[in-house]
Structures are given as C-alpha cells and as structure tokens.
Amino acid sequence: MKKKLKKVLKDFWYGKPHGERRLGDLYIGNTGLYKHREWRGVKDTFYYFNKIWLYNYGGILMDIMRFGGPIIAVKGLLRYRWFGQTYLTALHWFDRGLEGMRGEVLRASAWHYRAMTCETIRQFMHMFRADTRLHGGKKNKWYYKTIMHDETVCGSVFYGYRDRMENIAMQLVPYFVTCHVNNHTVLHYIDAVQSIGLPGDPCPMCQAEAGLLVLDDVPDYSPVMITSNEACDASVATSVLHDWFLNKPLISMTQPMRFNDPLVHEYTMNEIKEAWKFIEEQMGEKPDFDVYVEYTEKYNELTKFEHEKWDVAANTPYYPINGVAQALYRIYYSQVGYREIWAKTDAKVKKILNKCVEQKINTFPMTRHRVLAWSCAPLYFSNWCTWAYNCWGLNVIMNMDSLMFDIVLRTDNEEDALFDLARYHEMAPMRRMAVGGHEHIFEIWENLERFNCDMVMMYDQLQCKGMQGIVGLFEDEFRERNIHAIWMPHALPDKRTVSRAEIRSIINDYMFTVMREEPLDPSLLDFDDIMSW
C-alpha cells in the first residue's frame, strides 16, 4: 500500500513515464478531441496552463489590438469563412502538436508555435486593415501600400520595399496555415473549384487556392498581384484563375523547373527584375538596396542559427524541438522572410538549446528510430510525427522542406545580391527537391547520412504527377541500400482521399510486420479522429 501511494504521488508530481501514459484514453470516442488535457506533472502542467494556454490567449488578444484592433477583427470574422472556422481553434493546434511533450522540448516547441501564431495574426489583420470589402469599397492608405503575391513567392524578393510597403501572401493564411490548424475548412475550397468544372486530379493545393477565389473568400487588400508557377503546371493554371477572378494588374514571376544551368539562372534574375519593374509601374516604388541589405543580413542570422540547430539535431540527442514544430516553423519563416518575431523566438530557443547541450539533457529518451521525412507532407496531418514518437518512438529529426532556402545571401554589392536572391528563389518549397530534377530529390541519401537517420518516412502525394513518376527509382534504391522506408500516401490538404487514421494504420502495420516491434503506448494505435480539427 505504501509503495502504491508512493507511485501515485510520484506520478502526480512528475507525470506518468512514457509507456504508462495511455494518451489515447484522453480522447472522446469517435472524435480525437480531449475529454481533458494531459497531466504532465506539476511543473510542466502549470507551465502549459500558464505559458502556453493563458500566454497565447493573452498574446492573441494583444496581437489583435496592436495590429488593427478588435472591430476590424470582428468584421473579418463575420466576412471570411477561413477566419471563423480556423483561428478560433488555434489552441487545439498547440495541443495536438505538443501532445506528450515534457521539459525543454515542450518549451522550445511551444515558442515556435507561438511565433507562427503571432505572424499569422499580423498578416490577416493587415489584410483586413487594407481590405476594401471591410471598408465599404474604399481603398485606404494600407491598400495602396501592400503588395499581394502568391504564397510560393518568397518574402525575400520584397525586402527592398520594407521601409515603405508591406507584402502579404494571398493564400498563406487563408489556405496553407488553415490546413494545419483545422483540416475541415479547406475542403470547401476544393469542392468549390471542382463545382465550376475543374477536374479532381490536379494538385489539391492549387485547387484549394483557386477555390478561395471561387467562393470570394479572399480580402481585396492590394492594387496588384504577383503570381508564380511554383511548384508545377497546376500552379500555372491557378495563376490563370487568379487573373480571371481578381481582375487587377497581375504578373507571373515564373521559376525554371531545372535551375542548375547558368543561363536558366540568368532567366530567374530577369524575372525578379521584371517583378520590381511591375511594382514601380503600378505602385510608383523602386526597391532600395540599402533596405534590402538591412533585412537580408537579419535573415542571414536566422539561417546561421538554423545551421546550429541542425548540427545539434544531427550529432547529439540534445535537440529540444519536436518534428512538427521544427518543420512548420522553418517552412513558415523561410517562405515569409525576416520578421522581428523570428529573431525573438530564436533568442528564446537558443537559451533552451544551449541548456540542453551544456547539461546533456536527452530530450527524446524513448527514441527507437531516427526518421528523415522526405517529399511533400500531408498538410492535414502535420502532427503525425508527434503521434509517431508517442506511440512508436519514431523521432523525426529532419523534414525535406526544412532544407529549402539553405544559403546565406550575399549583400556586398547589388550584382552578387541579385544572383543569390535568384538562387534562393529557385529553392522554393517543392521546387528544388520535389520537381527540380531527380538529382535534387535524391539528396535524400546524403541527408540520411548527415542527420544520422536509420529510417525514412516517404511522403507519397497521390496527385503529384512529378513524384509519382519516380516511385520505382526510390524503391530500387531503398532495397539496394537496405533502408527502412514507410510510404505515406496522402493528398496534401484533402483528408478525404487518405484519412489520418489510414496513415496511422500504415505506420502501425509496418512497425508490427516489418520491424517486429511493439508500441510504447498501445492506446494510440487505433482511434477515430475524422471529426476533430
């Protein structure tokens, strides 16, 4: 009895150890929603309640106040489906991504989530502030000082205007972030574009982006639009629909499919110049090289710290960031470009990282396999890697898209700066490795070695024609190299093609039948979360 009481008190104070937690028992049947939140021990539970729940609710309110105020936010809430359906559920996004996390991993990962939340609010509040639809059709000063562009046009292209103008990606907040926070919202947009006759087989990412326009669910916040063909031909078709629905001056800043040729690189440089010329003609502003240098050098510091993090992740067990926080934060900030919130977050995370290294804290002690996630991920289930660690001890060390944009940009003179900016732009998500030539997608082998991974989670985007064409090549290489690879079929934002439960079942089957292993937490093997966010 005394021993049992001692165990109960220990579990109360520290939380149950991995293997006894039974996190699946927290879920309400057939939903994947929580009956109550996890007890992580006194210290981590109070940290979660105070520094994650209360802090982020307070932070959300503060961000809304400082980026435009509650009145314009309520107007946006009532006007745009994606805002009301998605961002009111943001804290559940934290819960999923941080499930089972303790100690320094909980803290470092949560700061990444907080940064993305803050930047998302800044973007949609700026959209609302400039939106003619929320101001009786009037075009205010914000409207004329904002550049609208595709989410796949990197923010670095616009550094030279940052002292006078804003640039906001049209689909990043209404589409891309929504997939991760609430996987239901985006389905309306896919259905909408198919309802006007678009076949269901093109990339669902492009379908969803176009569906925003079909449902008239995008703020009108800029006099211009800059589109891109990234990553594939479906994006080209999306640009045509953008031109049709937006009905405003538009330029397509296209990227080459193969970008190692110097002549092709010169083409990319000219495309960037044409975009700058377009902005000057339409908005009367030229890029300022000194301003470009200022923001580029700040961004370079983020890249240098990223390399430090990768070095710790590759060579030690002391890396305090889980797979989903690492991937989403890296993709988000590298695509958006420098913002002050990224520097503040990196400063906080650096302290945690240094502590883990100095004190030799094994941050993922239940790791059985170090996993490299490759190709394009399922946007509706980005937190699968949190589940995989809790259930099976699969620790996702690195994600393919995190490796994009991996250069320090030169700023010593305008010619070199433009050269590097073009090379950076060519390394956009999905372009460099997914459809940029087989030699790039096969960078997987060197990264397996670089990050000391013994397993690959191979994303299989069922509607990506480029990736489907080389499945056999990967299979041959996996067999020849004796690499364990789990193929994860999915349809980017559309969970109806392959559900999250099906993805978990595929991983379960592989771990049971091929790896001959037993789960760390059997309660997570089988549950239905089709209705959850």
Side-chain angles (χ1 to χ4, degrees):
M1 183 69 181
K2 185 177 180 181
K3 188 176 181 180
K4 186 176 180 181
L5 178 61
K6 188 176 180 181
K7 169 66 173 167
V8 170
L9 291 174
K10 184 178 180 180
D11 287 348
F12 172 78
W13 190 257
Y14 295 106
K16 287 185 177 180
H18 210 128
E20 297 180 20
R21 296 177 189 176
R22 296 194 60 82
L23 294 172
D25 292 347
L26 298 176
Y27 302 144
I28 300 171
N30 301 321
T31 67
L33 303 175
Y34 290 133
K35 300 173 188 174
H36 59 81
R37 280 171 181 79
E38 174 190 0
W39 182 259
R40 304 169 192 253
V42 172
K43 184 177 180 180
D44 283 344
T45 299
F46 276 87
Y47 181 89
Y48 200 97
F49 180 75
N50 179 38
K51 294 295 286 183
I52 297 178
W53 266 82
L54 288 182
Y55 181 86
N56 280 285
Y57 271 126
I60 287 170
L61 293 174
M62 288 296 295
D63 288 340
I64 287 174
M65 293 297 292
R66 68 193 180 106
F67 291 132
I71 294 176
I72 195 66
V74 171
K75 286 183 177 180
L77 177 68
L78 297 175
R79 172 61 178 81
Y80 296 108
R81 178 197 296 265
W82 50 264
F83 184 27
Q85 285 193 345
T86 301
Y87 295 109
L88 297 182
T89 67
L91 268 294
H92 187 66
W93 179 46
F94 281 68
D95 290 341
R96 290 197 311 265
L98 302 175
E99 186 174 78
M101 301 295 106
R102 306 282 178 88
E104 303 312 313
V105 174
L106 175 66
R107 289 151 180 73
S109 301
W111 281 120
H112 288 88
Y113 271 79
R114 172 64 197 134
M116 292 185 286
T117 302
C118 178
E119 173 58 16
T120 296
I121 294 171
R122 186 196 69 80
Q123 289 187 45
F124 69 63
M125 288 299 290
H126 187 90
M127 283 177 163
F128 296 160
R129 193 161 48 178
D131 186 11
T132 62
R133 295 184 175 120
L134 301 184
H135 294 89
K138 295 180 181 178
K139 299 175 181 178
N140 58 24
K141 65 176 182 178
W142 301 108
Y143 179 90
Y144 288 109
K145 293 295 182 181
T146 307
I147 303 167
M148 178 190 288
H149 60 93
D150 267 343
E151 62 180 335
T152 50
V153 175
C154 62
S156 304
V157 171
F158 307 104
Y159 283 165
Y161 302 97
R162 284 280 179 89
D163 59 330
R164 293 150 288 154
M165 303 172 71
E166 260 298 350
N167 64 283
I168 302 290
M170 187 185 78
Q171 314 96 331
L172 187 65
V173 171
Y175 155 70
F176 180 77
V177 181
T178 63
C179 301
H180 301 286
V181 182
N182 181 353
N183 65 85
H184 297 285
T185 305
V186 71
L187 305 180
H188 299 290
Y189 305 124
I190 295 173
D191 292 343
V193 75
Q194 291 182 15
S195 74
I196 65 170
L198 186 75
D201 65 324
C203 175
M205 169 181 166
C206 301
Q207 293 185 58
E209 290 175 347
L212 287 164
L213 297 169
V214 175
L215 292 181
D216 192 28
D217 216 24
V218 175
D220 177 28
Y221 60 92
S222 172
V224 300
M225 175 64 175
I226 299 176
T227 68
S228 169
N229 66 327
E230 205 278 315
C232 60
D233 290 344
S235 296
V236 177
T238 308
S239 295
V240 174
L241 293 174
H242 287 162
D243 200 10
W244 179 15
F245 281 102
L246 291 172
N247 192 29
K248 62 179 61 184
L250 178 147
I251 186 173
S252 182
M253 192 172 70
T254 54
Q255 298 165 297
M257 295 293 285
R258 300 293 295 267
F259 52 83
N260 288 344
D261 190 317
L263 293 177
V264 172
H265 187 74
E266 185 178 341
Y267 164 84
T268 306
M269 294 168 66
N270 288 331
E271 286 293 299
I272 294 174
K273 289 179 182 178
E274 285 297 314
W276 290 342
K277 182 181 177 182
F278 171 77
I279 294 170
E280 181 183 356
E281 291 172 347
Q282 298 296 328
M283 306 182 73
E285 296 286 359
K286 293 182 178 180
D288 185 314
F289 181 67
D290 291 335
V291 176
Y292 173 83
V293 169
E294 176 188 350
Y295 282 93
T296 300
E297 290 182 346
K298 289 179 179 180
Y299 181 82
N300 284 340
E301 292 304 310
L302 303 181
T303 303
K304 292 173 185 176
F305 179 54
E306 194 69 27
H307 292 162
E308 288 183 40
K309 291 195 290 183
W310 292 355
D311 186 53
V312 173
N315 299 301
T316 78
Y318 313 137
Y319 187 58
I321 306 163
N322 72 10
V324 59
Q326 187 279 327
L328 290 181
Y329 178 75
R330 168 64 178 161
I331 295 166
Y332 202 148
Y333 90 69
S334 59
Q335 189 66 52
V336 170
Y338 181 82
R339 298 290 174 182
E340 195 66 32
I341 188 64
W342 312 136
K344 291 179 179 178
T345 300
D346 279 5
K348 291 182 173 72
V349 172
K350 190 165 191 172
K351 291 180 180 178
I352 298 172
L353 181 72
N354 289 342
K355 176 183 176 181
C356 291
V357 172
E358 290 166 4
Q359 298 183 15
K360 293 182 168 53
I361 299 172
N362 188 348
T363 48
F364 292 94
M366 303 306 293
T367 297
R368 288 174 172 174
H369 301 282
R370 293 170 60 89
V371 181
L372 178 66
W374 205 252
S375 195
C376 305
L379 305 184
Y380 59 89
F381 197 17
S382 55
N383 61 299
W384 72 266
C385 44
T386 309
W387 166 84
Y389 176 75
N390 289 326
C391 186
W392 288 104
L394 303 179
N395 185 6
V396 179
I397 305 299
M398 187 52 57
N399 177 76
M400 184 192 78
D401 282 347
S402 300
L403 301 169
M404 309 296 183
F405 299 128
D406 185 23
I407 58 173
V408 174
L409 298 159
R410 289 176 292 177
T411 57
D412 53 333
N413 62 75
E414 292 189 37
E415 184 178 351
D416 287 344
L418 179 59
F419 184 94
D420 281 4
L421 178 60
R423 191 157 62 99
Y424 184 89
H425 183 56
E426 291 163 352
M427 293 181 177
M430 299 181 293
R431 168 48 50 83
R432 175 183 169 190
M433 294 174 184
V435 293
H438 72 276
E439 68 270 27
H440 298 294
I441 193 70
F442 282 164
E443 289 178 32
I444 183 174
W445 316 124
E446 62 191 67
N447 282 295
L448 270 170
E449 184 176 346
R450 175 185 180 187
F451 290 100
N452 291 296
C453 295
D454 64 315
M455 182 178 284
V456 175
M457 195 63 63
M458 195 70 198
Y459 297 133
D460 185 13
Q461 210 283 75
L462 299 177
Q463 287 159 275
C464 180
K465 310 303 186 293
M467 286 304 299
Q468 286 294 311
I470 58 173
V471 167
L473 295 176
F474 270 110
E475 288 281 17
D476 289 343
E477 289 290 336
F478 288 141
R479 280 191 290 267
E480 185 174 331
R481 297 167 186 263
N482 195 27
I483 292 171
H484 285 288
I486 304 175
W487 286 87
M488 182 189 290
H490 67 91
L492 275 180
D494 194 343
K495 66 174 183 177
R496 296 169 297 189
T497 305
V498 181
S499 70
R500 293 181 292 193
E502 288 178 82
I503 288 174
R504 292 191 294 270
S505 177
I506 290 168
I507 297 173
N508 291 341
D509 288 347
Y510 192 94
M511 297 306 294
F512 276 126
T513 61
V514 178
M515 303 305 295
R516 305 293 181 106
E517 295 180 9
E518 294 296 321
L520 298 172
D521 187 344
S523 70
L524 291 172
L525 283 174
D526 184 22
F527 58 92
D528 182 5
D529 59 348
I530 194 67
M531 296 302 296
S532 76
W533 294 312

